[in-house]
Amino acid sequence: MHATPKDIRDPQAGPAPIDRKVLDQYREIDPSGGPGLAHRIVRIYIDSAAETLRQIEQAIAGRDPEALRQATHSLKSSTASIGAMSLADLFRELEAMAKAARIDDAAVVFDEARNEYERVLVALRDLLAEAP
Amino acid sequence: MNDRPWRILVADDEPVTRELIKAALEKAGFQVFLAEDGEDALRQFSDVPCDMVLLDVNMPGLNGHQVCAHLRRQLGEEFPIVMVTGMDDMASIERAFEAGATDFIAKPINWALIGHRVRYLFRGCQVLHDLHAANRRHMAILDALRAVGLQLSLDDFGTGYSSLSYLKRLPLNNLKVDQSFVRGLPDDRESLAIVRAIVSLAKNLGFTVTAEGVETADHARVLGALDCETLQGYFIDKPMPAEHLPAALTRQWRREDLS
């Protein structure tokens, strides 16, 4: 797969939001060996992550550690599956804070996660716009 | 199992993982059904019986452990139930086995390997199933032999394949002490201790005891003193054709009359 501008590291923007190698490995289990499965996975992620993000926001506002844990656990795993490693790390941190009922700390990390999520979304939409 | 592809029910509340597991298992030739949570898994399983269930541990509502325990009660011990759980979560892996899981697959999932892993699990379950079926068949044969009046002995006890667990599982009448323990009698202390222990074990379990490889009068004397009631070996007689047996027995009785 060729490098896109998003893959080129910009010191201002930090590391690339998406590790393309993670998505590339899905060619091995794609029925036709192409990027179709990876694109489907990305679309599923875009469709489902927004709702889970809303659940996280509500759990923090309602100070509900168990709801926060469940939502961050689920989003951590799917975020890692689409190769957004920095964002997955933030959700992992949030999950640990939920287990420790550290809601105020979680609110701070969540702001960071939301910014990173926006970067990830842009990268994912760029990826989908590429010819399959 | 028959010719249709093996069916696997995958329960995971997280849609990305669910879709990836489905793709990987279909690539490996399995037919995959998806459930969105624990309740959905139980519902779907009652609609379309599958050959294996893969359960995410962390699901809202009924979690993977609860679904696993429920299916295990319903399906018996042989049915393959696999938990999918984080590498970092040892407690959940231990709970999975308590709930009756057959095995676990660690997250992050290795997509190139999961199909092979599942195939090996199926093979293992099939072997275990065949083994249980063979054991049941063999026990039925042993019971039938006893029912027609035959006595069952466990040969070469104390060596090779003769395990203590057979004493519990098999419908035995008699234990035969392996000749390697008899050979050292009466001088070898270890042999003496082992034979004494085997005789005592047999008596406690209600079996008779036969010593193998009895070759000298010393062997016979010590074994008699140890309360071993039957002897086998060259000291008694060599193996012989059946038609020579009456004469040999007569000789034996005469010898006992003299002593």
Side-chain angles (χ1 to χ4, degrees), chain A residues 28 30 69-70 73-74 78, chain B residues 14 17 20 27 58 111-112:
Chain A
E28 277 181 57
D30 184 276
R69 188 200 60 77
Q70 182 71 46
H73 177 86
S74 154
S78 56
Chain B
E14 201 281 290
T17 312
L20 284 170
K27 186 85 174 182
N58 226 296
W111 301 109

Side-chain angles (χ1 to χ4, degrees), chain A residues 25-26 28-33 37 40-41 44-45 48 69-70 73-74 76-78 81-82, chain B residues 13-17 19-21 23-24 27 56 58-60 86 88-89 107 109-112:
Chain A
Q25 66 169 331
Y26 300 144
E28 277 181 57
I29 53 171
D30 184 276
S32 57
L37 175 64
R40 196 159 79 241
I41 292 302
I44 292 172
Y45 181 81
S48 63
R69 188 200 60 77
Q70 182 71 46
H73 177 86
S74 154
K76 169 193 75 177
S77 147
S78 56
S81 295
I82 52 124
Chain B
D13 61 309
E14 201 281 290
V16 168
T17 312
E19 202 62 31
L20 284 170
I21 293 178
K27 186 85 174 182
D56 178 33
N58 226 296
M59 294 186 287
D88 47 353
D89 197 353
K107 281 183 179 176
I109 294 172
N110 183 323
W111 301 109

Side-chain angles (χ1 to χ4, degrees), chain A residues 1-129:
Chain A
M1 197 162 276
H2 60 273
T4 68
K6 294 292 165 200
D7 285 316
I8 298 161
R9 288 177 68 156
D10 172 357
Q12 298 290 294
I18 300 288
D19 179 356
R20 295 287 291 256
K21 284 201 291 293
V22 174
L23 289 168
D24 280 348
Q25 66 169 331
Y26 300 144
R27 285 169 181 272
E28 277 181 57
I29 53 171
D30 184 276
S32 57
L37 175 64
H39 284 199
R40 196 159 79 241
I41 292 302
V42 165
R43 270 186 231 107
I44 292 172
Y45 181 81
I46 292 174
D47 289 347
S48 63
E51 169 59 24
T52 317
L53 221 56
R54 208 160 22 244
Q55 287 169 7
I56 294 177
E57 192 171 15
Q58 278 169 8
I60 290 174
R63 308 191 70 80
D64 182 347
E66 175 51 26
L68 181 62
R69 188 200 60 77
Q70 182 71 46
T72 48
H73 177 86
S74 154
L75 202 49
K76 169 193 75 177
S77 147
S78 56
T79 302
S81 295
I82 52 124
M85 294 317 184
S86 305
L87 184 56
D89 283 344
L90 290 172
F91 288 132
R92 181 170 300 123
E93 219 174 308
L94 278 170
E95 188 189 9
M97 287 170 172
K99 281 181 184 163
R102 288 162 49 201
I103 299 288
D104 294 326
D105 294 340
V108 176
V109 174
F110 181 62
D111 281 340
E112 203 184 327
R114 205 156 27 190
N115 290 334
E116 180 64 15
Y117 173 73
E118 293 305 325
R119 290 179 68 219
V120 167
L121 270 191
V122 171
L124 291 178
R125 293 207 170 103
D126 284 354
L127 184 140
L128 286 179

Side-chain angles (χ1 to χ4, degrees), chain B:
Chain B
M1 311 241 171
N2 49 33
D3 285 341
R4 72 165 167 78
W6 276 327
R7 291 179 180 150
I8 304 173
L9 178 66
V10 177
D12 197 316
D13 61 309
E14 201 281 290
V16 168
T17 312
R18 204 159 63 214
E19 202 62 31
L20 284 170
I21 293 178
K22 179 174 155 72
L25 294 181
E26 283 179 350
K27 186 85 174 182
F30 301 111
Q31 193 179 0
V32 180
F33 299 84
L34 295 179
E36 295 185 7
D37 57 40
E39 283 85 353
D40 191 21
L42 293 178
R43 202 164 40 239
Q44 290 216 36
F45 192 89
S46 63
D47 291 345
V48 184
C50 287
D51 307 304
M52 181 185 286
V53 176
L54 251 69
L55 296 169
D56 178 33
V57 168
N58 226 296
M59 294 186 287
L62 278 184
N63 68 34
H65 295 126
Q66 291 167 310
V67 178
C68 175
H70 184 100
L71 288 176
R72 180 57 73 219
R73 277 194 301 276
Q74 185 186 333
L75 300 167
E77 59 168 349
E78 284 175 15
F79 186 87
I81 303 175
V82 180
M83 306 301 286
V84 182
T85 182
M87 240 341 210
D88 47 353
D89 197 353
M90 279 313 291
S92 110
I93 293 169
E94 277 162 29
R95 267 208 308 284
F97 284 112
E98 281 164 22
T102 312
D103 204 348
F104 69 91
I105 288 177
K107 281 183 179 176
I109 294 172
N110 183 323
W111 301 109
L113 282 187
I114 185 172
H116 296 290
R117 182 76 189 280
V118 163
R119 196 174 302 118
Y120 276 109
L121 271 166
F122 268 127
R123 195 178 297 171
C125 287
Q126 188 67 48
V127 167
L128 201 63
H129 173 84
D130 293 349
L131 183 68
H132 287 163
N135 275 342
R136 280 193 296 273
R137 214 163 45 239
H138 295 157
M139 289 303 276
I141 292 172
L142 293 178
D143 287 337
L145 289 173
R146 267 179 72 131
V148 298
L150 287 171
Q151 303 261 306
L152 299 180
S153 291
L154 187 62
D155 210 7
D156 300 343
F157 186 73
T159 61
Y161 289 102
S162 65
S163 135
L164 279 175
S165 70
Y166 288 152
L167 302 184
K168 273 178 71 179
R169 291 201 335 250
L170 301 176
L172 296 171
N173 306 95
N174 172 258
L175 277 192
K176 293 179 75 175
V177 183
D178 187 72
Q179 58 174 316
S180 60
F181 304 122
V182 173
R183 202 174 300 136
L185 297 180
D187 300 329
D188 182 54
R189 289 166 49 99
E190 284 83 7
S191 297
L192 194 66
I194 290 169
V195 174
R196 184 181 287 126
I198 294 176
V199 172
S200 147
L201 179 67
K203 305 272 160 171
N204 282 326
L205 292 166
F207 305 146
T208 57
V209 194
T210 303
E212 301 171 11
V214 180
E215 296 188 347
T216 66
D218 269 353
H219 288 165
R221 185 176 45 73
V222 174
L223 287 161
L226 288 173
D227 209 13
C228 174
E229 58 258 280
T230 51
L231 308 179
Q232 168 193 320
Y234 279 22
F235 176 69
I236 311 300
D237 230 320
K238 292 182 179 172
M240 68 188 75
E243 60 265 29
H244 296 174
L245 190 61
L249 286 176
T250 313
R251 262 201 321 276
Q252 194 78 33
W253 290 328
R254 292 225 178 97
R255 197 186 303 163
E256 276 168 25
D257 287 345
L258 293 176
S259 62

